[in-house]
Amino acid sequence: ESRRRSWYGGTMTEPFTRLDPAPEVTIDKDKYVKTLKLLALRVPKAKCNVIMKALRSVALDLPRQRCVMPDPDDPDMRLFLLRESVKDRELPTVTPEQRETAGLSELAWTTHELRLEYDYFSADEILRQILPEGCEVPGSFETVGHIAHLNLRDELREYRHVIGRVLLDKNPRLRTVVNKIGTIESEFRVPTWELLAGDTSLETEVRQHGVTFKVDFGEVYWNSRLEAEHKRLIDSIKPGEILCDVMAGIGPFAVPAAKAGRRVYASDLNPQCTRYLRLNARANKVKNLVKCYNLDARAFIRALLRPGPGPKDVDDEPVPSE
């Protein structure tokens, strides 16, 4: 199993999950270079804006690439780059009015080689060159804090570490890329992950509607797609009402509800969820409003409804080390 548990009962050295390191992958970035030979106009620096508006229809139009750049021969001039498809210096698609506005007859022509390197291209563009023809490029992924998680097809398994490396290269805010392996058999609905690239730690932080949550993605269930549902239900709780959350997870309902001033009784069968629920309640300064329990949902409900002092919460126990 790729995932190794590093805390249960507080007896081991680390309080969060680390994965086995991924093999090092080196991408030869020199293979992913494209040089465009472009026509360009030498334009006065002071007239750049006017000329850009007049000649917008023939200007270089590439994502993340400006059509105006410094002229290496004259600091007072700029190179106005034209589209790769423009080969005729007569510019037949430019109207007489646009020519006059730009002062086109007074501008000097030149050529420019635009070098687009590995860092320019998107992950999708790089992976289309790396993966064999016919393989479907992973079009999207979900993130939890600094972690990206994928569910790759079997046909991509051979290339999984290269895919992870490219995703890290192209998404600076990511530090870890994982892939789900096998089916979810855990009692706590937690997938088994393998590390594709990056940091081995699966402990991270996520922020929803002004609340920061610490989460161990290797030990607890978390679904970022439920963010809107979390807010809808929290907003529906009226002043004076009490929230009883029988499958509380790490607190996406419980903690925001408490921050809104509601009393909360929250339980989860997964002891790691209870641990992070307590940490998150404390970190968001609502520990006094959130009672935490580590019980089966049925037992929790029965205990809450039973006459008497109610179920024993875990708030009197020491919070495990962060």
Side-chain angles (χ1 to χ4, degrees), residues 111-122:
T111 58
H112 178 75
E113 289 192 354
L114 179 63
R115 181 180 168 90
L116 303 177
E117 300 182 344
Y118 175 86
D119 291 341
Y120 169 79
F121 296 103
S122 67

Side-chain angles (χ1 to χ4, degrees), residues 15 41 64 77 88 90 119 136 141 153-154 174 177-178 183 188 202 226 234 239-240 247 283 297 300 305 308:
L41 290 164
R64 307 177 303 283
M77 300 293 286
D88 186 348
E90 296 298 323
D119 291 341
E136 184 176 347
F141 55 86
R153 298 172 180 267
D154 289 341
L174 296 179
V177 181
V178 297
T183 57
F188 304 136
L202 287 187
L226 296 177
I234 292 164
M247 290 178 283
F300 179 54
L305 297 177

Side-chain angles (χ1 to χ4, degrees), residues 5 12 78 113 137 150 164 206 261 307:
R5 299 178 181 353
M12 300 185 75
R78 295 291 183 266
E113 289 192 354
V137 174
L150 298 88
V206 293

Side-chain angles (χ1 to χ4, degrees), residues 37-143:
K37 296 183 178 181
L38 306 173
L39 286 176
L41 290 164
R42 299 185 69 242
V43 303
K45 178 180 177 181
K47 292 190 63 178
C48 274
N49 288 337
V50 173
I51 292 171
M52 283 179 63
K53 289 180 181 179
L55 301 181
R56 188 181 303 276
S57 63
V58 292
L60 180 69
D61 185 20
L62 289 178
R64 307 177 303 283
Q65 178 62 52
R66 294 175 60 85
C67 64
V68 175
M69 60 184 304
D71 186 333
D73 298 326
D74 188 340
D76 294 325
M77 300 293 286
R78 295 291 183 266
L79 297 184
F80 180 70
L81 306 181
L82 305 186
R83 301 184 184 204
E84 189 180 16
S85 60
V86 175
K87 305 298 182 184
D88 186 348
R89 298 191 182 198
E90 296 298 323
L91 300 181
T93 61
V94 177
T95 66
E97 293 80 7
Q98 291 169 332
R99 291 172 183 273
E100 183 177 353
T101 300
L104 189 57
S105 62
E106 301 173 4
L107 301 178
W109 286 90
T110 187
T111 58
H112 178 75
E113 289 192 354
L114 179 63
R115 181 180 168 90
L116 303 177
E117 300 182 344
Y118 175 86
D119 291 341
Y120 169 79
F121 296 103
S122 67
D124 183 80
E125 291 169 323
I126 294 296
L127 289 174
R128 287 189 186 282
Q129 297 184 62
I130 292 176
L131 299 177
E133 187 175 352
C135 281
E136 184 176 347
V137 174
S140 61
F141 55 86
E142 294 189 37
T143 61

Side-chain angles (χ1 to χ4, degrees), residues 40-296:
L41 290 164
R42 299 185 69 242
V43 303
K45 178 180 177 181
K47 292 190 63 178
C48 274
N49 288 337
V50 173
I51 292 171
M52 283 179 63
K53 289 180 181 179
L55 301 181
R56 188 181 303 276
S57 63
V58 292
L60 180 69
D61 185 20
L62 289 178
R64 307 177 303 283
Q65 178 62 52
R66 294 175 60 85
C67 64
V68 175
M69 60 184 304
D71 186 333
D73 298 326
D74 188 340
D76 294 325
M77 300 293 286
R78 295 291 183 266
L79 297 184
F80 180 70
L81 306 181
L82 305 186
R83 301 184 184 204
E84 189 180 16
S85 60
V86 175
K87 305 298 182 184
D88 186 348
R89 298 191 182 198
E90 296 298 323
L91 300 181
T93 61
V94 177
T95 66
E97 293 80 7
Q98 291 169 332
R99 291 172 183 273
E100 183 177 353
T101 300
L104 189 57
S105 62
E106 301 173 4
L107 301 178
W109 286 90
T110 187
T111 58
H112 178 75
E113 289 192 354
L114 179 63
R115 181 180 168 90
L116 303 177
E117 300 182 344
Y118 175 86
D119 291 341
Y120 169 79
F121 296 103
S122 67
D124 183 80
E125 291 169 323
I126 294 296
L127 289 174
R128 287 189 186 282
Q129 297 184 62
I130 292 176
L131 299 177
E133 187 175 352
C135 281
E136 184 176 347
V137 174
S140 61
F141 55 86
E142 294 189 37
T143 61
V144 177
H146 70 266
I147 302 165
H149 59 96
L150 298 88
N151 188 5
L152 295 177
R153 298 172 180 267
D154 289 341
E155 66 189 42
L156 296 176
R157 183 163 179 78
E158 178 183 350
Y159 308 96
R160 64 193 186 280
H161 295 298
V162 175
I163 292 171
R165 182 70 260 166
V166 171
L167 292 181
L168 276 190
D169 287 346
K170 299 301 177 179
N171 297 275
R173 66 188 184 86
L174 296 179
R175 299 202 311 270
T176 301
V177 181
V178 297
N179 180 47
K180 188 178 83 168
I181 54 177
T183 57
I184 298 178
E185 299 176 353
S186 163
E187 181 181 16
F188 304 136
R189 298 177 63 201
V190 179
T192 297
W193 304 106
E194 64 172 339
L195 183 66
L196 302 187
D199 193 335
T200 60
S201 170
L202 287 187
E203 186 175 63
T204 188
E205 288 187 352
V206 293
R207 189 168 178 82
Q208 287 191 351
H209 306 296
V211 180
T212 299
F213 298 95
K214 181 171 283 189
V215 53
D216 181 344
F217 198 52
E219 298 291 354
V220 306
Y221 175 80
W222 177 269
N223 188 341
S224 298
R225 289 176 292 181
L226 296 177
E227 181 174 359
E229 182 68 3
H230 293 160
K231 186 175 189 305
R232 184 187 71 80
L233 288 176
I234 292 164
D235 289 345
S236 72
I237 303 173
K238 299 179 178 61
E241 292 184 335
I242 296 173
L243 172 64
C244 297
D245 191 346
V246 302
M247 290 178 283
I250 65 166
F253 291 113
V255 176
K259 283 184 73 70
R262 312 298 185 256
R263 167 67 64 180
V264 178
Y265 295 86
S267 178
D268 201 283
L269 183 60
N270 182 345
Q272 285 286 55
C273 283
T274 303
R275 172 178 179 262
Y276 278 93
L277 171 60
R278 296 176 69 202
L279 289 172
N280 290 326
R282 185 176 68 174
N284 286 280
K285 298 179 171 51
V286 291
K287 182 178 180 293
N288 61 317
L289 290 175
V290 180
K291 290 290 187 180
C292 304
Y293 305 87
N294 180 209
L295 294 170
D296 171 81

